[in-house]
Amino acid sequence: MRLLFASLIFSFLIACSSVREGSYEADIIVYGGTSSAITAAVQAKKMGKSVIVVSPDIHLGGLSSGGLGFTDTGNKVVIGGLAREFYHRVYLHYAQDSAWKWQKREEYGNKGQGTPAIDGENRTMWIFEPHVAEQIFEDWVEEFQLVVHRDEWLDREKGVIKKNGEIVSIQTLSGKKYRGKVFIDATYEGDLMAAAGVSYHVGREANSVYGETWNGVQVGVYQHRHYFMDSISAYRIPGDPSSGLLPEISPENPGKNGEGDRRLQAYNFRMALSRNPDNRIPFPKPTNYDSNRYELLARVYAAGWNETFWKFDPIPNLKTDTNNHGPFSTDYIGKNYDYPEASYERRKEIIREHEDYQKGLMYFLANDSRVPENVRNEIGNYGLAKDEFTDNGNWPHQIYVREARRMIGSYVMTEHDVLGAKVVPQSVGMGSYSLDSHNTQRFVTPGGFVQNEGDIGVHPKQPYSISYGTLVPREEECKNLLVSVCVSSSHTAFGSIRMEPVFMILGQSAAAAASLSIDEKVSVQELGYEKLRNVLIEEKQVLENELN
């Protein structure tokens, strides 16, 4: 009997120990593994706060380490704080001779996106290889002794516990529970925000909602070169509607201009391709490859299009950050509408569908006789970079979620803020990129031709401030949550805000606000802005336009 009792006690103690081992507590809980998440965690530690990064991702850095190495800088003068420190560390890396394994430094050139790739005067570099970015984030983890729990996915159904308008704890699918004083959602999807009951929007608002011009449906608006410039039949047999639509064309009516809808700008993968024969892998043929799904691209070539390589942007070591360009490219248009609110299983399906489409596209370009010979020959000089994404078949581990949920918070940024028609209150950072949306749909015109819709690119006259209210939910919805990626903004404003340097800036500012709200024992909404402003200035964030 005593033996049985002792055994029961021992089992009880083991069970209690397991519960304790599965429970974690810190001042600040950051959910996400993006660049914004890591800068938030670094800032929290700098301000003396304990922090745990709960990351669904194994690899840290999101798109910054997931293939987007040709940085969307906009005006780099307004990129400060930890974001600038990141690009300074990129500069230091490529200052070493050992960094140039596949290419001589002097052969690289100095092309960046609207700015030189290497800025020697300011000791920053804006173009980089994916593995270099990831290592910088890992260096921060080590230097600041960040606690990072990887491959931990929020239980979106019942994993968020709230009391008196505050998040008490979150729980992941593995059963781990995290208690904190303030939480930061730094995911591309906004899962914590949504699970906490915070209002959000998916898709495009009607122009009438915020009095905008560039929101909603934009049929016939062509501001980049990502549309069909020639009249190309949408049907399998040209000119014959009874033959059915070609693959990748929607039968849905595109809607009226200015109307809101649930459509999202397209996603893709930012591939790291290599031109070095010793560091490239030929484009693989997907198991479910069907060349006919790319017939539309064949017709584009037949019409004389010749811009295949316009967005094979050079990054160091004879590699590229390869992005979408043209009417039919790496963007998988219209195939992501349910992604933001989809289950994890459905998201995985969507990601696989995008991967199959894009791998098939590259194989088509390299091998199909309908592709002009000069294009096939040039594509033959490229392949997947052998030394990138080595645990994922050299394919990016992060799909480019250009837009998912967007919070409806204390302040909603709109195109009026971005384009300078309004003075933005309580700045926590700045943006400067154009209102940039990729296409949202591919449809049939009344004449039976194919066309894309949704691509816009409207440039602000000058950099603009981003309000603290964009990071903060309405107080009645949640008092201790900040959102640093799926910020409170309209579709058009988010098209400018959604750049990786800005996400880093906002992650740092969100963590500073979280730390101060803990010190002041107030909600994130009640935090006095002047105290936050002083900290951000001390941390070298750029808050106002000083270019006038």
Coordinates of all heavy atoms in Angstrom, one line a residue, residues 310-352:
W310 N 13.7 41.4 -66.2 CA 13.7 42.7 -65.7 C 13.7 42.8 -64.2 O 14.1 43.7 -63.6 CB 12.4 43.5 -66.2 CG 12.6 44.1 -67.5 CD1 13.4 43.6 -68.5 CD2 12.0 45.3 -68.1 NE1 13.3 44.4 -69.7 CE2 12.4 45.4 -69.4 CE3 11.1 46.2 -67.5 CZ2 12.0 46.5 -70.2 CZ3 10.7 47.3 -68.4 CH2 11.1 47.4 -69.7
K311 N 13.2 41.7 -63.5 CA 13.3 41.7 -62.0 C 14.1 40.5 -61.5 O 13.8 39.9 -60.5 CB 11.9 41.6 -61.5 CG 11.1 43.0 -61.5 CD 11.9 44.1 -60.8 CE 11.9 43.9 -59.3 NZ 12.7 45.0 -58.6
F312 N 15.1 40.2 -62.2 CA 16.2 39.3 -61.7 C 17.2 40.2 -61.1 O 18.3 40.4 -61.6 CB 16.8 38.4 -62.9 CG 15.9 37.3 -63.3 CD1 14.6 37.4 -63.6 CD2 16.5 36.0 -63.4 CE1 13.8 36.4 -64.0 CE2 15.7 34.9 -63.8 CZ 14.3 35.1 -64.1
D313 N 16.9 40.8 -60.0 CA 17.7 41.8 -59.4 C 19.0 41.2 -58.7 O 18.9 40.3 -58.0 CB 16.9 42.6 -58.3 CG 15.8 43.4 -59.0 OD1 16.1 44.1 -60.0 OD2 14.7 43.4 -58.5
P314 N 20.1 41.8 -59.0 CA 21.4 41.2 -58.5 C 21.6 41.4 -57.0 O 21.4 42.5 -56.5 CB 22.5 41.9 -59.4 CG 21.8 43.3 -59.7 CD 20.4 43.0 -59.9
I315 N 22.0 40.4 -56.4 CA 22.5 40.4 -55.0 C 23.9 39.8 -55.0 O 24.3 39.2 -56.0 CB 21.5 39.7 -54.0 CG1 21.4 38.2 -54.3 CG2 20.2 40.4 -54.0 CD1 20.5 37.5 -53.3
P316 N 24.7 40.0 -54.0 CA 26.1 39.5 -54.0 C 26.2 38.0 -54.4 O 25.3 37.2 -54.2 CB 26.6 39.8 -52.6 CG 25.8 41.0 -52.2 CD 24.4 40.7 -52.7
N317 N 27.4 37.7 -54.9 CA 27.9 36.4 -55.2 C 27.1 35.7 -56.4 O 26.7 34.5 -56.3 CB 27.8 35.5 -54.0 CG 29.0 35.8 -53.0 OD1 30.1 35.7 -53.5 ND2 28.7 36.1 -51.8
L318 N 26.9 36.6 -57.4 CA 26.2 36.1 -58.6 C 24.9 35.5 -58.4 O 24.5 34.5 -59.1 CB 27.1 35.1 -59.4 CG 28.4 35.7 -60.0 CD1 29.3 34.6 -60.6 CD2 28.0 36.7 -61.1
K319 N 24.1 36.1 -57.5 CA 22.8 35.6 -57.2 C 21.8 36.7 -57.5 O 22.1 37.9 -57.7 CB 22.6 35.2 -55.7 CG 23.5 34.0 -55.3 CD 23.4 33.8 -53.8 CE 24.5 32.8 -53.3 NZ 24.4 32.6 -51.9
T320 N 20.5 36.3 -57.5 CA 19.4 37.3 -57.7 C 18.4 37.2 -56.6 O 18.2 36.2 -56.0 CB 18.7 37.1 -59.0 OG1 18.0 35.8 -59.0 CG2 19.7 37.0 -60.2
D321 N 17.7 38.3 -56.4 CA 16.4 38.3 -55.7 C 15.4 38.4 -56.9 O 15.3 39.5 -57.4 CB 16.3 39.5 -54.7 CG 14.9 39.7 -54.2 OD1 14.0 39.0 -54.7 OD2 14.7 40.7 -53.4
T322 N 14.8 37.3 -57.2 CA 13.9 37.3 -58.4 C 12.5 37.5 -58.0 O 11.9 36.7 -57.2 CB 14.1 35.9 -59.1 OG1 15.4 35.8 -59.5 CG2 13.2 35.9 -60.4
N323 N 11.9 38.6 -58.6 CA 10.5 39.0 -58.2 C 9.6 38.9 -59.4 O 10.1 38.7 -60.6 CB 10.5 40.4 -57.6 CG 9.2 40.7 -56.9 OD1 8.4 39.8 -56.6 ND2 9.0 42.0 -56.6
N324 N 8.4 39.1 -59.2 CA 7.4 39.2 -60.3 C 7.6 40.3 -61.2 O 8.0 41.4 -60.8 CB 6.0 39.3 -59.7 CG 4.9 39.4 -60.7 OD1 4.4 38.3 -61.2 ND2 4.5 40.6 -61.1
H325 N 7.4 40.1 -62.5 CA 7.4 41.2 -63.5 C 6.6 40.8 -64.7 O 6.8 39.7 -65.3 CB 8.8 41.6 -63.9 CG 8.8 42.7 -65.0 ND1 8.5 44.0 -64.6 CD2 8.9 42.7 -66.3 CE1 8.6 44.7 -65.7 NE2 8.8 43.9 -66.7
G326 N 5.8 41.7 -65.2 CA 5.1 41.4 -66.4 C 3.7 40.9 -66.2 O 3.2 40.7 -65.1
P327 N 2.9 40.6 -67.3 CA 1.5 40.2 -67.2 C 1.3 38.8 -66.6 O 0.3 38.5 -66.0 CB 1.0 40.3 -68.6 CG 2.2 40.1 -69.5 CD 3.4 40.8 -68.7
F328 N 2.3 37.9 -66.8 CA 2.2 36.5 -66.4 C 3.6 36.2 -65.8 O 4.6 36.0 -66.6 CB 1.8 35.6 -67.5 CG 1.5 34.2 -67.1 CD1 0.2 33.8 -67.1 CD2 2.4 33.3 -66.6 CE1 -0.2 32.5 -66.7 CE2 2.1 32.0 -66.2 CZ 0.8 31.6 -66.3
S329 N 3.7 36.1 -64.5 CA 5.0 35.9 -63.9 C 4.9 35.1 -62.6 O 4.1 34.2 -62.5 CB 5.7 37.3 -63.7 OG 7.0 37.1 -63.2
T330 N 5.8 35.3 -61.7 CA 5.8 34.5 -60.4 C 4.7 34.8 -59.5 O 4.4 33.9 -58.6 CB 7.1 34.7 -59.7 OG1 7.3 36.1 -59.4 CG2 8.3 34.3 -60.6
D331 N 4.0 35.9 -59.6 CA 2.8 36.1 -58.8 C 1.7 35.1 -59.2 O 1.3 35.0 -60.4 CB 2.2 37.6 -59.0 CG 3.0 38.6 -58.1 OD1 3.9 38.2 -57.4 OD2 2.6 39.8 -58.2
Y332 N 1.1 34.4 -58.2 CA 0.1 33.5 -58.4 C -1.2 34.2 -58.2 O -1.8 34.1 -57.1 CB 0.2 32.2 -57.6 CG -0.5 31.0 -58.0 CD1 -0.9 30.8 -59.3 CD2 -0.8 30.0 -57.1 CE1 -1.6 29.7 -59.7 CE2 -1.5 28.9 -57.5 CZ -1.9 28.7 -58.8 OH -2.6 27.6 -59.2
I333 N -1.7 34.9 -59.2 CA -2.8 35.9 -59.0 C -4.1 35.2 -58.7 O -4.5 34.3 -59.4 CB -2.9 36.7 -60.3 CG1 -1.6 37.5 -60.5 CG2 -4.1 37.7 -60.2 CD1 -1.6 38.3 -61.8
G334 N -4.8 35.7 -57.6 CA -6.1 35.2 -57.3 C -6.2 33.9 -56.6 O -7.3 33.4 -56.4
K335 N -5.1 33.4 -56.1 CA -5.1 32.1 -55.4 C -4.8 32.2 -53.9 O -4.5 31.1 -53.3 CB -4.0 31.2 -56.1 CG -4.1 31.2 -57.6 CD -5.4 30.6 -58.1 CE -5.4 30.5 -59.6 NZ -6.6 29.9 -60.1
N336 N -5.0 33.3 -53.3 CA -4.6 33.5 -51.9 C -5.8 34.1 -51.1 O -5.5 34.5 -49.9 CB -3.4 34.4 -51.8 CG -3.6 35.8 -52.4 OD1 -4.5 36.0 -53.2 ND2 -2.7 36.7 -52.0
Y337 N -6.9 34.3 -51.7 CA -8.0 35.1 -51.0 C -8.3 34.5 -49.6 O -8.7 35.3 -48.7 CB -9.2 35.1 -51.9 CG -9.1 35.8 -53.2 CD1 -10.0 35.5 -54.3 CD2 -8.0 36.7 -53.5 CE1 -9.8 36.1 -55.5 CE2 -7.9 37.3 -54.7 CZ -8.8 37.0 -55.8 OH -8.7 37.5 -57.0
D338 N -8.3 33.2 -49.4 CA -8.7 32.7 -48.1 C -7.5 32.5 -47.2 O -7.7 32.1 -46.0 CB -9.5 31.4 -48.3 CG -8.7 30.3 -49.0 OD1 -7.7 30.7 -49.8 OD2 -8.9 29.1 -48.8
Y339 N -6.3 32.9 -47.6 CA -5.2 32.6 -46.8 C -5.2 33.3 -45.4 O -4.9 32.7 -44.4 CB -3.9 33.1 -47.5 CG -2.6 32.9 -46.7 CD1 -1.9 31.7 -46.8 CD2 -2.1 33.8 -45.9 CE1 -0.8 31.4 -46.1 CE2 -1.0 33.6 -45.2 CZ -0.3 32.4 -45.3 OH 0.8 32.2 -44.5
P340 N -5.6 34.6 -45.3 CA -5.5 35.3 -44.0 C -6.2 34.6 -42.9 O -5.7 34.4 -41.7 CB -6.0 36.7 -44.3 CG -5.8 36.9 -45.7 CD -6.0 35.5 -46.3
E341 N -7.4 34.1 -43.2 CA -8.3 33.5 -42.1 C -8.3 32.0 -42.2 O -9.0 31.4 -41.4 CB -9.7 34.1 -42.2 CG -9.7 35.6 -42.0 CD -11.1 36.2 -42.2 OE1 -11.6 36.1 -43.3 OE2 -11.6 36.7 -41.2
A342 N -7.5 31.4 -43.1 CA -7.6 29.9 -43.3 C -7.0 29.2 -42.1 O -6.1 29.8 -41.4 CB -6.9 29.6 -44.6
S343 N -7.3 27.9 -42.0 CA -6.7 27.1 -41.0 C -5.2 26.9 -41.3 O -4.8 27.1 -42.5 CB -7.4 25.7 -40.9 OG -7.2 25.0 -42.2
Y344 N -4.4 26.4 -40.4 CA -3.0 26.1 -40.7 C -2.9 25.1 -41.8 O -2.0 25.2 -42.7 CB -2.3 25.6 -39.5 CG -2.1 26.6 -38.3 CD1 -2.4 26.3 -37.0 CD2 -1.7 27.9 -38.6 CE1 -2.2 27.2 -36.0 CE2 -1.5 28.8 -37.6 CZ -1.8 28.4 -36.3 OH -1.7 29.4 -35.2
E345 N -3.8 24.1 -41.8 CA -3.7 23.1 -42.9 C -4.0 23.7 -44.2 O -3.3 23.4 -45.2 CB -4.7 22.0 -42.5 CG -4.4 21.1 -41.3 CD -4.6 21.8 -40.0 OE1 -5.4 22.9 -40.0 OE2 -4.0 21.4 -39.0
R346 N -5.0 24.5 -44.3 CA -5.4 25.2 -45.6 C -4.2 26.1 -46.0 O -3.9 26.1 -47.2 CB -6.7 25.9 -45.5 CG -7.1 26.7 -46.7 CD -7.2 25.9 -47.9 NE -7.4 26.7 -49.1 CZ -6.9 26.5 -50.3 NH1 -6.1 25.4 -50.5 NH2 -7.2 27.2 -51.4
R347 N -3.6 26.8 -45.1 CA -2.5 27.7 -45.5 C -1.4 26.9 -46.1 O -0.8 27.3 -47.1 CB -2.0 28.5 -44.3 CG -2.9 29.6 -43.9 CD -2.3 30.4 -42.7 NE -3.2 31.4 -42.2 CZ -3.0 32.1 -41.1 NH1 -2.0 31.7 -40.3 NH2 -3.9 33.0 -40.7
K348 N -1.1 25.7 -45.5 CA -0.1 24.8 -46.1 C -0.4 24.4 -47.5 O 0.5 24.4 -48.4 CB 0.1 23.6 -45.2 CG 0.8 23.9 -43.9 CD 0.9 22.7 -43.0 CE 1.5 23.0 -41.6 NZ 1.6 21.8 -40.8
E349 N -1.7 24.1 -47.7 CA -2.1 23.8 -49.1 C -1.9 25.0 -50.1 O -1.4 24.8 -51.2 CB -3.6 23.4 -49.1 CG -3.9 22.1 -48.4 CD -5.4 21.9 -48.4 OE1 -6.2 22.7 -48.9 OE2 -5.8 20.8 -47.9
I350 N -2.3 26.2 -49.6 CA -2.1 27.3 -50.5 C -0.6 27.5 -50.8 O -0.2 27.9 -51.9 CB -2.7 28.6 -49.8 CG1 -4.2 28.4 -49.7 CG2 -2.3 29.9 -50.5 CD1 -4.9 29.5 -48.8
I351 N 0.2 27.4 -49.8 CA 1.7 27.5 -50.0 C 2.2 26.5 -51.0 O 3.0 26.8 -51.9 CB 2.4 27.5 -48.6 CG1 2.1 28.7 -47.8 CG2 3.9 27.4 -48.8 CD1 2.5 28.6 -46.3
R352 N 1.8 25.3 -50.8 CA 2.2 24.2 -51.8 C 1.7 24.5 -53.2 O 2.4 24.3 -54.2 CB 1.6 22.8 -51.3 CG 2.4 22.2 -50.2 CD 2.1 20.7 -50.1 NE 0.6 20.5 -49.9 CZ 0.1 20.4 -48.7 NH1 0.8 20.5 -47.6 NH2 -1.2 20.2 -48.5

